[in-house]
Amino acid sequence: MTETVFFDVGGTLILAHPLHWLKPILDRWGVAADWSRLAEAAPPAFDFYNAHHLQARSLEEALELWRTTDRTILEGLGVENADEVADRLVAAWDDPATWPLAPHAHEVLDELKTRGKKLAVVSNWDGLLPRVLEVVGLAPYFDTVVVSALVGAAKPDARIFNEALARIGADPKTTLHVGDSPEADAGGAAAVGITPLLVDPVDPQRDLRRVLEVA
């Protein structure tokens, strides 16, 4: 029986694909971008973020990381005045529209709390994440939030999972980890004896509601 559920955030509870968050913002602002270049523009930005997020612990460091990450993808999309647009995106970090929730996020978390489950975030993210969870209204659901930048270890490293287990007092045998990455989430969780569940929040056959079938 599942007693504890861990959640990844980006690509799981918050929609991380640029078409789900960046495009609506740029469209609203009237900023032109060549979305046919997304497949080439996104990887360098994501690679930069992943390579540097563990060093971005403070608010200032995190926002500077996002500024460079956003500028990289904007330049790749051919956006004019990419520096200025990146500054504007960073200034909007506390706008919920910057972090669109996955479908059914509140519904699933509400039901898990009703069932008496202990909930934790286990996410590869910079030090801004606890504030982001407050901005989007998810913070109250979680008994603890374990962020890679704040513990110095990123999934699939066992240390981040073990930190979450210790904080919440959970047994890996009765813990489920929900995420979107086969390597970081599924592989990392399974290596420490936690049951993994991979989801795709925009696929109705594999969205967050699957958690309620398993937990």
Side-chain angles (χ1 to χ4, degrees):
M1 178 180 177
T2 300
E3 297 178 356
T4 305
V5 184
F6 292 170
F7 281 91
D8 171 54
V9 176
T12 301
L13 291 174
I14 290 176
L15 300 179
H17 195 286
L19 291 178
H20 296 140
W21 69 272
L22 182 57
K23 188 176 188 301
I25 293 174
L26 297 187
D27 288 348
R28 190 166 66 249
W29 290 351
V31 174
D34 183 355
W35 293 100
S36 70
R37 295 163 57 176
L38 181 59
E40 293 76 35
F46 295 153
D47 289 346
F48 178 85
Y49 181 89
N50 289 331
H52 295 88
H53 82 279
L54 287 177
Q55 289 75 49
R57 297 170 58 89
S58 69
L59 174 64
E60 294 75 16
E61 290 166 337
L63 293 181
E64 186 56 37
L65 173 64
W66 280 106
R67 181 177 287 106
T68 304
T69 301
D70 291 343
R71 184 177 66 245
T72 301
I73 193 169
L74 291 168
E75 290 173 345
L77 294 172
V79 172
E80 294 185 9
N81 303 315
D83 280 342
E84 295 177 14
V85 178
D87 288 344
R88 191 174 177 186
L89 286 168
V90 168
W93 77 265
D94 57 354
D95 180 349
T98 305
W99 317 101
L101 291 181
H104 313 292
H106 281 290
E107 168 193 338
V108 169
L109 294 171
D110 276 332
E111 177 59 25
L112 291 173
K113 294 301 282 187
T114 297
R115 296 180 186 181
K117 309 298 183 183
K118 294 184 289 186
L119 305 181
V121 160
V122 182
S123 187
N124 289 353
W125 203 292
D126 56 85
L128 192 62
L129 183 56
R131 302 184 192 213
V132 170
L133 293 174
E134 292 176 1
V135 165
V136 299
L138 296 186
Y141 290 109
F142 296 104
D143 299 287
T144 191
V145 175
V146 183
V147 185
S148 57
L150 300 181
V151 301
K155 297 176 296 183
D157 193 314
R159 288 176 292 173
I160 190 170
F161 291 100
N162 288 330
E163 175 70 17
L165 290 168
R167 285 193 196 179
I168 207 167
D171 183 339
K173 295 178 181 178
T174 57
T175 300
L176 178 73
H177 177 73
V178 183
D180 67 312
S181 168
E183 179 183 1
D185 292 307
V192 296
I194 295 171
T195 300
L197 175 65
L198 290 178
V199 297
D200 179 346
V202 297
D203 179 352
Q205 302 302 314
R206 300 179 56 229
D207 65 30
L208 285 172
R209 290 172 295 183
R210 289 195 65 207
V211 179
L212 301 180
E213 301 171 3
V214 177

mmCIF file of all heavy atoms in Angstrom, residues 39-82:
data_model
loop_
_atom_site.group_PDB
_atom_site.id
_atom_site.type_symbol
_atom_site.label_atom_id
_atom_site.label_comp_id
_atom_site.label_asym_id
_atom_site.label_seq_id
_atom_site.Cartn_x
_atom_site.Cartn_y
_atom_site.Cartn_z
ATOM 1 N N ALA A 39 12.925 22.956 -32.245
ATOM 2 C CA ALA A 39 13.687 21.723 -32.017
ATOM 3 C C ALA A 39 15.190 21.991 -31.928
ATOM 4 O O ALA A 39 15.917 21.268 -31.230
ATOM 5 C CB ALA A 39 13.407 20.709 -33.126
ATOM 6 N N GLU A 40 15.653 23.030 -32.601
ATOM 7 C CA GLU A 40 17.066 23.396 -32.533
ATOM 8 C C GLU A 40 17.324 24.409 -31.425
ATOM 9 O O GLU A 40 18.416 24.430 -30.845
ATOM 10 C CB GLU A 40 17.532 23.993 -33.868
ATOM 11 C CG GLU A 40 17.544 23.025 -35.033
ATOM 12 C CD GLU A 40 16.160 22.731 -35.585
ATOM 13 O OE1 GLU A 40 15.317 23.656 -35.576
ATOM 14 O OE2 GLU A 40 15.910 21.577 -35.995
ATOM 15 N N ALA A 41 16.330 25.223 -31.091
ATOM 16 C CA ALA A 41 16.525 26.307 -30.128
ATOM 17 C C ALA A 41 16.474 25.827 -28.685
ATOM 18 O O ALA A 41 17.189 26.360 -27.819
ATOM 19 C CB ALA A 41 15.465 27.387 -30.341
ATOM 20 N N ALA A 42 15.647 24.831 -28.400
ATOM 21 C CA ALA A 42 15.418 24.434 -27.010
ATOM 22 C C ALA A 42 16.589 23.682 -26.369
ATOM 23 O O ALA A 42 16.948 23.983 -25.228
ATOM 24 C CB ALA A 42 14.134 23.618 -26.909
ATOM 25 N N PRO A 43 17.197 22.687 -27.036
ATOM 26 C CA PRO A 43 18.233 21.901 -26.356
ATOM 27 C C PRO A 43 19.393 22.706 -25.774
ATOM 28 O O PRO A 43 19.803 22.433 -24.631
ATOM 29 C CB PRO A 43 18.689 20.926 -27.448
ATOM 30 C CG PRO A 43 17.489 20.747 -28.305
ATOM 31 C CD PRO A 43 16.860 22.105 -28.360
ATOM 32 N N PRO A 44 19.963 23.703 -26.481
ATOM 33 C CA PRO A 44 21.055 24.458 -25.851
ATOM 34 C C PRO A 44 20.613 25.183 -24.582
ATOM 35 O O PRO A 44 21.385 25.276 -23.613
ATOM 36 C CB PRO A 44 21.468 25.459 -26.944
ATOM 37 C CG PRO A 44 21.034 24.827 -28.218
ATOM 38 C CD PRO A 44 19.762 24.113 -27.887
ATOM 39 N N ALA A 45 19.389 25.682 -24.568
ATOM 40 C CA ALA A 45 18.881 26.363 -23.375
ATOM 41 C C ALA A 45 18.708 25.389 -22.223
ATOM 42 O O ALA A 45 19.117 25.674 -21.081
ATOM 43 C CB ALA A 45 17.551 27.054 -23.697
ATOM 44 N N PHE A 46 18.123 24.233 -22.505
ATOM 45 C CA PHE A 46 17.921 23.233 -21.451
ATOM 46 C C PHE A 46 19.259 22.697 -20.951
ATOM 47 O O PHE A 46 19.436 22.465 -19.751
ATOM 48 C CB PHE A 46 17.054 22.084 -21.966
ATOM 49 C CG PHE A 46 15.651 22.478 -22.314
ATOM 50 C CD1 PHE A 46 14.927 21.766 -23.263
ATOM 51 C CD2 PHE A 46 15.047 23.571 -21.705
ATOM 52 C CE1 PHE A 46 13.624 22.134 -23.584
ATOM 53 C CE2 PHE A 46 13.751 23.944 -22.027
ATOM 54 C CZ PHE A 46 13.038 23.221 -22.966
ATOM 55 N N ASP A 47 20.201 22.502 -21.884
ATOM 56 C CA ASP A 47 21.516 22.011 -21.487
ATOM 57 C C ASP A 47 22.207 23.008 -20.564
ATOM 58 O O ASP A 47 22.854 22.612 -19.574
ATOM 59 C CB ASP A 47 22.390 21.748 -22.716
ATOM 60 C CG ASP A 47 21.945 20.528 -23.514
ATOM 61 O OD1 ASP A 47 21.136 19.737 -22.988
ATOM 62 O OD2 ASP A 47 22.393 20.387 -24.675
ATOM 63 N N PHE A 48 22.092 24.286 -20.884
ATOM 64 C CA PHE A 48 22.700 25.312 -20.032
ATOM 65 C C PHE A 48 22.066 25.286 -18.645
ATOM 66 O O PHE A 48 22.769 25.318 -17.628
ATOM 67 C CB PHE A 48 22.530 26.703 -20.656
ATOM 68 C CG PHE A 48 23.088 27.798 -19.798
ATOM 69 C CD1 PHE A 48 24.433 28.123 -19.862
ATOM 70 C CD2 PHE A 48 22.270 28.493 -18.912
ATOM 71 C CE1 PHE A 48 24.961 29.119 -19.048
ATOM 72 C CE2 PHE A 48 22.787 29.476 -18.096
ATOM 73 C CZ PHE A 48 24.142 29.800 -18.169
ATOM 74 N N TYR A 49 20.745 25.228 -18.610
ATOM 75 C CA TYR A 49 20.055 25.202 -17.313
ATOM 76 C C TYR A 49 20.497 23.994 -16.497
ATOM 77 O O TYR A 49 20.851 24.123 -15.315
ATOM 78 C CB TYR A 49 18.540 25.174 -17.513
ATOM 79 C CG TYR A 49 17.802 25.174 -16.195
ATOM 80 C CD1 TYR A 49 17.451 26.357 -15.581
ATOM 81 C CD2 TYR A 49 17.491 23.976 -15.549
ATOM 82 C CE1 TYR A 49 16.808 26.369 -14.353
ATOM 83 C CE2 TYR A 49 16.856 23.970 -14.318
ATOM 84 C CZ TYR A 49 16.511 25.166 -13.739
ATOM 85 O OH TYR A 49 15.888 25.158 -12.511
ATOM 86 N N ASN A 50 20.477 22.827 -17.101
ATOM 87 C CA ASN A 50 20.824 21.610 -16.366
ATOM 88 C C ASN A 50 22.257 21.633 -15.868
ATOM 89 O O ASN A 50 22.561 21.103 -14.791
ATOM 90 C CB ASN A 50 20.585 20.385 -17.248
ATOM 91 C CG ASN A 50 19.113 20.111 -17.484
ATOM 92 O OD1 ASN A 50 18.271 20.435 -16.644
ATOM 93 N ND2 ASN A 50 18.786 19.533 -18.626
ATOM 94 N N ALA A 51 23.146 22.257 -16.638
ATOM 95 C CA ALA A 51 24.555 22.299 -16.253
ATOM 96 C C ALA A 51 24.830 23.261 -15.109
ATOM 97 O O ALA A 51 25.846 23.130 -14.421
ATOM 98 C CB ALA A 51 25.407 22.679 -17.460
ATOM 99 N N HIS A 52 23.941 24.234 -14.891
ATOM 100 C CA HIS A 52 24.223 25.292 -13.926
ATOM 101 C C HIS A 52 23.218 25.410 -12.781
ATOM 102 O O HIS A 52 23.440 26.185 -11.851
ATOM 103 C CB HIS A 52 24.296 26.645 -14.649
ATOM 104 C CG HIS A 52 25.436 26.752 -15.611
ATOM 105 N ND1 HIS A 52 25.338 26.352 -16.928
ATOM 106 C CD2 HIS A 52 26.718 27.177 -15.439
ATOM 107 C CE1 HIS A 52 26.499 26.552 -17.532
ATOM 108 N NE2 HIS A 52 27.346 27.042 -16.658
ATOM 109 N N HIS A 53 22.126 24.644 -12.812
ATOM 110 C CA HIS A 53 21.067 24.892 -11.830
ATOM 111 C C HIS A 53 21.482 24.576 -10.402
ATOM 112 O O HIS A 53 20.970 25.178 -9.456
ATOM 113 C CB HIS A 53 19.781 24.135 -12.204
ATOM 114 C CG HIS A 53 19.766 22.704 -11.800
ATOM 115 N ND1 HIS A 53 20.378 21.700 -12.525
ATOM 116 C CD2 HIS A 53 19.220 22.093 -10.721
ATOM 117 C CE1 HIS A 53 20.183 20.553 -11.934
ATOM 118 N NE2 HIS A 53 19.490 20.748 -10.831
ATOM 119 N N LEU A 54 22.418 23.654 -10.217
ATOM 120 C CA LEU A 54 22.820 23.313 -8.854
ATOM 121 C C LEU A 54 23.535 24.475 -8.158
ATOM 122 O O LEU A 54 23.569 24.519 -6.924
ATOM 123 C CB LEU A 54 23.736 22.083 -8.857
ATOM 124 C CG LEU A 54 23.076 20.739 -9.146
ATOM 125 C CD1 LEU A 54 24.118 19.632 -9.177
ATOM 126 C CD2 LEU A 54 21.990 20.417 -8.126
ATOM 127 N N GLN A 55 24.079 25.401 -8.929
ATOM 128 C CA GLN A 55 24.761 26.552 -8.342
ATOM 129 C C GLN A 55 23.818 27.728 -8.099
ATOM 130 O O GLN A 55 24.224 28.739 -7.526
ATOM 131 C CB GLN A 55 25.908 27.011 -9.240
ATOM 132 C CG GLN A 55 27.101 26.057 -9.277
ATOM 133 C CD GLN A 55 26.842 24.810 -10.101
ATOM 134 O OE1 GLN A 55 26.364 24.889 -11.229
ATOM 135 N NE2 GLN A 55 27.150 23.648 -9.539
ATOM 136 N N ALA A 56 22.580 27.612 -8.556
ATOM 137 C CA ALA A 56 21.616 28.719 -8.444
ATOM 138 C C ALA A 56 20.728 28.510 -7.226
ATOM 139 O O ALA A 56 19.584 28.070 -7.325
ATOM 140 C CB ALA A 56 20.781 28.821 -9.719
ATOM 141 N N ARG A 57 21.263 28.855 -6.056
ATOM 142 C CA ARG A 57 20.550 28.601 -4.819
ATOM 143 C C ARG A 57 19.709 29.800 -4.367
ATOM 144 O O ARG A 57 18.584 29.636 -3.895
ATOM 145 C CB ARG A 57 21.547 28.236 -3.717
ATOM 146 C CG ARG A 57 22.316 26.955 -4.001
ATOM 147 C CD ARG A 57 23.452 26.743 -3.017
ATOM 148 N NE ARG A 57 22.973 26.702 -1.639
ATOM 149 C CZ ARG A 57 22.575 25.606 -1.018
ATOM 150 N NH1 ARG A 57 22.586 24.444 -1.658
ATOM 151 N NH2 ARG A 57 22.169 25.642 0.228
ATOM 152 N N SER A 58 20.241 30.988 -4.485
ATOM 153 C CA SER A 58 19.538 32.178 -4.009
ATOM 154 C C SER A 58 18.568 32.685 -5.066
ATOM 155 O O SER A 58 18.619 32.285 -6.239
ATOM 156 C CB SER A 58 20.541 33.290 -3.684
ATOM 157 O OG SER A 58 21.135 33.780 -4.883
ATOM 158 N N LEU A 59 17.689 33.600 -4.668
ATOM 159 C CA LEU A 59 16.751 34.204 -5.608
ATOM 160 C C LEU A 59 17.504 34.881 -6.742
ATOM 161 O O LEU A 59 17.166 34.706 -7.922
ATOM 162 C CB LEU A 59 15.861 35.221 -4.878
ATOM 163 C CG LEU A 59 14.923 36.055 -5.765
ATOM 164 C CD1 LEU A 59 13.902 35.171 -6.459
ATOM 165 C CD2 LEU A 59 14.222 37.126 -4.930
ATOM 166 N N GLU A 60 18.521 35.645 -6.404
ATOM 167 C CA GLU A 60 19.271 36.379 -7.422
ATOM 168 C C GLU A 60 19.963 35.433 -8.387
ATOM 169 O O GLU A 60 19.944 35.641 -9.613
ATOM 170 C CB GLU A 60 20.290 37.305 -6.753
ATOM 171 C CG GLU A 60 19.697 38.427 -5.939
ATOM 172 C CD GLU A 60 19.136 37.961 -4.593
ATOM 173 O OE1 GLU A 60 19.485 36.826 -4.157
ATOM 174 O OE2 GLU A 60 18.349 38.724 -3.990
ATOM 175 N N GLU A 61 20.591 34.379 -7.864
ATOM 176 C CA GLU A 61 21.274 33.413 -8.724
ATOM 177 C C GLU A 61 20.285 32.683 -9.622
ATOM 178 O O GLU A 61 20.563 32.430 -10.803
ATOM 179 C CB GLU A 61 22.037 32.407 -7.861
ATOM 180 C CG GLU A 61 23.239 32.994 -7.147
ATOM 181 C CD GLU A 61 23.768 32.080 -6.054
ATOM 182 O OE1 GLU A 61 23.000 31.228 -5.548
ATOM 183 O OE2 GLU A 61 24.960 32.217 -5.705
ATOM 184 N N ALA A 62 19.132 32.347 -9.075
ATOM 185 C CA ALA A 62 18.124 31.632 -9.856
ATOM 186 C C ALA A 62 17.590 32.499 -10.986
ATOM 187 O O ALA A 62 17.436 32.037 -12.126
ATOM 188 C CB ALA A 62 16.986 31.166 -8.951
ATOM 189 N N LEU A 63 17.307 33.751 -10.698
ATOM 190 C CA LEU A 63 16.763 34.626 -11.735
ATOM 191 C C LEU A 63 17.792 34.891 -12.828
ATOM 192 O O LEU A 63 17.438 34.983 -14.010
ATOM 193 C CB LEU A 63 16.290 35.940 -11.118
ATOM 194 C CG LEU A 63 15.082 35.827 -10.178
ATOM 195 C CD1 LEU A 63 14.677 37.189 -9.652
ATOM 196 C CD2 LEU A 63 13.899 35.146 -10.863
ATOM 197 N N GLU A 64 19.048 34.991 -12.464
ATOM 198 C CA GLU A 64 20.090 35.171 -13.482
ATOM 199 C C GLU A 64 20.205 33.918 -14.352
ATOM 200 O O GLU A 64 20.415 34.008 -15.571
ATOM 201 C CB GLU A 64 21.427 35.481 -12.823
ATOM 202 C CG GLU A 64 22.528 35.827 -13.818
ATOM 203 C CD GLU A 64 22.157 36.989 -14.729
ATOM 204 O OE1 GLU A 64 21.487 37.949 -14.271
ATOM 205 O OE2 GLU A 64 22.528 36.932 -15.928
ATOM 206 N N LEU A 65 20.066 32.740 -13.736
ATOM 207 C CA LEU A 65 20.077 31.495 -14.503
ATOM 208 C C LEU A 65 18.928 31.473 -15.501
ATOM 209 O O LEU A 65 19.115 31.122 -16.676
ATOM 210 C CB LEU A 65 19.973 30.305 -13.550
ATOM 211 C CG LEU A 65 19.800 28.927 -14.206
ATOM 212 C CD1 LEU A 65 21.026 28.557 -15.033
ATOM 213 C CD2 LEU A 65 19.534 27.865 -13.140
ATOM 214 N N TRP A 66 17.735 31.840 -15.050
ATOM 215 C CA TRP A 66 16.583 31.867 -15.942
ATOM 216 C C TRP A 66 16.751 32.912 -17.037
ATOM 217 O O TRP A 66 16.335 32.696 -18.186
ATOM 218 C CB TRP A 66 15.293 32.121 -15.151
ATOM 219 C CG TRP A 66 14.785 30.891 -14.482
ATOM 220 C CD1 TRP A 66 14.832 30.582 -13.152
ATOM 221 C CD2 TRP A 66 14.161 29.773 -15.115
ATOM 222 N NE1 TRP A 66 14.283 29.350 -12.921
ATOM 223 C CE2 TRP A 66 13.856 28.831 -14.101
ATOM 224 C CE3 TRP A 66 13.831 29.478 -16.432
ATOM 225 C CZ2 TRP A 66 13.239 27.611 -14.384
ATOM 226 C CZ3 TRP A 66 13.210 28.261 -16.712
ATOM 227 C CH2 TRP A 66 12.917 27.347 -15.695
ATOM 228 N N ARG A 67 17.376 34.046 -16.706
ATOM 229 C CA ARG A 67 17.591 35.085 -17.719
ATOM 230 C C ARG A 67 18.438 34.549 -18.876
ATOM 231 O O ARG A 67 18.089 34.741 -20.047
ATOM 232 C CB ARG A 67 18.252 36.316 -17.086
ATOM 233 C CG ARG A 67 18.498 37.459 -18.062
ATOM 234 C CD ARG A 67 19.083 38.660 -17.353
ATOM 235 N NE ARG A 67 18.073 39.330 -16.531
ATOM 236 C CZ ARG A 67 18.026 39.273 -15.204
ATOM 237 N NH1 ARG A 67 18.925 38.565 -14.527
ATOM 238 N NH2 ARG A 67 17.076 39.910 -14.536
ATOM 239 N N THR A 68 19.523 33.879 -18.545
ATOM 240 C CA THR A 68 20.388 33.332 -19.588
ATOM 241 C C THR A 68 19.697 32.199 -20.341
ATOM 242 O O THR A 68 19.807 32.095 -21.569
ATOM 243 C CB THR A 68 21.708 32.834 -18.983
ATOM 244 O OG1 THR A 68 22.331 33.907 -18.267
ATOM 245 C CG2 THR A 68 22.648 32.340 -20.067
ATOM 246 N N THR A 69 18.997 31.347 -19.606
ATOM 247 C CA THR A 69 18.277 30.240 -20.243
ATOM 248 C C THR A 69 17.225 30.772 -21.210
ATOM 249 O O THR A 69 17.129 30.318 -22.364
ATOM 250 C CB THR A 69 17.615 29.358 -19.173
ATOM 251 O OG1 THR A 69 18.617 28.843 -18.289
ATOM 252 C CG2 THR A 69 16.857 28.198 -19.812
ATOM 253 N N ASP A 70 16.446 31.739 -20.755
ATOM 254 C CA ASP A 70 15.401 32.308 -21.612
ATOM 255 C C ASP A 70 16.002 33.022 -22.823
ATOM 256 O O ASP A 70 15.503 32.883 -23.952
ATOM 257 C CB ASP A 70 14.544 33.298 -20.818
ATOM 258 C CG ASP A 70 13.691 32.625 -19.760
ATOM 259 O OD1 ASP A 70 13.508 31.394 -19.834
ATOM 260 O OD2 ASP A 70 13.203 33.324 -18.851
ATOM 261 N N ARG A 71 17.075 33.783 -22.596
ATOM 262 C CA ARG A 71 17.700 34.498 -23.715
ATOM 263 C C ARG A 71 18.217 33.520 -24.766
ATOM 264 O O ARG A 71 18.095 33.767 -25.971
ATOM 265 C CB ARG A 71 18.846 35.377 -23.207
ATOM 266 C CG ARG A 71 19.464 36.228 -24.320
ATOM 267 C CD ARG A 71 20.537 37.150 -23.802
ATOM 268 N NE ARG A 71 21.695 36.420 -23.307
ATOM 269 C CZ ARG A 71 22.094 36.399 -22.047
ATOM 270 N NH1 ARG A 71 21.419 37.059 -21.123
ATOM 271 N NH2 ARG A 71 23.166 35.717 -21.697
ATOM 272 N N THR A 72 18.757 32.395 -24.310
ATOM 273 C CA THR A 72 19.284 31.404 -25.244
ATOM 274 C C THR A 72 18.196 30.851 -26.142
ATOM 275 O O THR A 72 18.366 30.752 -27.369
ATOM 276 C CB THR A 72 19.961 30.256 -24.471
ATOM 277 O OG1 THR A 72 21.020 30.793 -23.674
ATOM 278 C CG2 THR A 72 20.523 29.211 -25.414
ATOM 279 N N ILE A 73 17.065 30.506 -25.568
ATOM 280 C CA ILE A 73 15.992 29.952 -26.399
ATOM 281 C C ILE A 73 15.350 31.034 -27.270
ATOM 282 O O ILE A 73 15.001 30.782 -28.426
ATOM 283 C CB ILE A 73 14.941 29.209 -25.537
ATOM 284 C CG1 ILE A 73 14.023 28.377 -26.431
ATOM 285 C CG2 ILE A 73 14.124 30.156 -24.686
ATOM 286 C CD1 ILE A 73 13.144 27.424 -25.659
ATOM 287 N N LEU A 74 15.249 32.242 -26.747
ATOM 288 C CA LEU A 74 14.677 33.329 -27.544
ATOM 289 C C LEU A 74 15.552 33.638 -28.756
ATOM 290 O O LEU A 74 15.040 33.843 -29.865
ATOM 291 C CB LEU A 74 14.514 34.579 -26.680
ATOM 292 C CG LEU A 74 13.451 34.501 -25.579
ATOM 293 C CD1 LEU A 74 13.599 35.678 -24.614
ATOM 294 C CD2 LEU A 74 12.043 34.467 -26.163
ATOM 295 N N GLU A 75 16.847 33.666 -28.547
ATOM 296 C CA GLU A 75 17.751 33.898 -29.676
ATOM 297 C C GLU A 75 17.626 32.778 -30.690
ATOM 298 O O GLU A 75 17.636 33.030 -31.912
ATOM 299 C CB GLU A 75 19.186 34.012 -29.173
ATOM 300 C CG GLU A 75 19.460 35.290 -28.386
ATOM 301 C CD GLU A 75 20.844 35.320 -27.750
ATOM 302 O OE1 GLU A 75 21.480 34.240 -27.676
ATOM 303 O OE2 GLU A 75 21.258 36.405 -27.314
ATOM 304 N N GLY A 76 17.483 31.560 -30.219
ATOM 305 C CA GLY A 76 17.321 30.422 -31.117
ATOM 306 C C GLY A 76 16.043 30.493 -31.926
ATOM 307 O O GLY A 76 15.976 29.954 -33.036
ATOM 308 N N LEU A 77 15.040 31.145 -31.367
ATOM 309 C CA LEU A 77 13.755 31.313 -32.063
ATOM 310 C C LEU A 77 13.732 32.571 -32.936
ATOM 311 O O LEU A 77 12.698 32.885 -33.528
ATOM 312 C CB LEU A 77 12.616 31.385 -31.044
ATOM 313 C CG LEU A 77 12.342 30.112 -30.233
ATOM 314 C CD1 LEU A 77 11.324 30.393 -29.136
ATOM 315 C CD2 LEU A 77 11.862 28.978 -31.130
ATOM 316 N N GLY A 78 14.859 33.271 -32.989
ATOM 317 C CA GLY A 78 14.941 34.462 -33.824
ATOM 318 C C GLY A 78 14.194 35.663 -33.287
ATOM 319 O O GLY A 78 13.803 36.555 -34.053
ATOM 320 N N VAL A 79 13.995 35.716 -31.968
ATOM 321 C CA VAL A 79 13.261 36.833 -31.362
ATOM 322 C C VAL A 79 14.139 38.081 -31.359
ATOM 323 O O VAL A 79 15.287 38.048 -30.911
ATOM 324 C CB VAL A 79 12.830 36.481 -29.921
ATOM 325 C CG1 VAL A 79 12.240 37.697 -29.215
ATOM 326 C CG2 VAL A 79 11.829 35.339 -29.950
ATOM 327 N N GLU A 80 13.590 39.183 -31.874
ATOM 328 C CA GLU A 80 14.312 40.452 -31.821
ATOM 329 C C GLU A 80 14.354 40.959 -30.383
ATOM 330 O O GLU A 80 13.434 40.723 -29.608
ATOM 331 C CB GLU A 80 13.626 41.483 -32.716
ATOM 332 C CG GLU A 80 13.679 41.158 -34.203
ATOM 333 C CD GLU A 80 13.087 42.257 -35.053
ATOM 334 O OE1 GLU A 80 12.793 43.337 -34.497
ATOM 335 O OE2 GLU A 80 12.927 42.036 -36.268
ATOM 336 N N ASN A 81 15.437 41.650 -30.044
ATOM 337 C CA ASN A 81 15.602 42.187 -28.686
ATOM 338 C C ASN A 81 15.451 41.088 -27.634
ATOM 339 O O ASN A 81 14.742 41.245 -26.637
ATOM 340 C CB ASN A 81 14.600 43.313 -28.421
ATOM 341 C CG ASN A 81 14.705 44.439 -29.435
ATOM 342 O OD1 ASN A 81 15.799 44.878 -29.755
ATOM 343 N ND2 ASN A 81 13.562 44.886 -29.940
ATOM 344 N N ALA A 82 16.126 39.957 -27.884
ATOM 345 C CA ALA A 82 16.003 38.801 -26.983
ATOM 346 C C ALA A 82 16.392 39.155 -25.551
ATOM 347 O O ALA A 82 15.785 38.650 -24.597
ATOM 348 C CB ALA A 82 16.853 37.650 -27.494
#
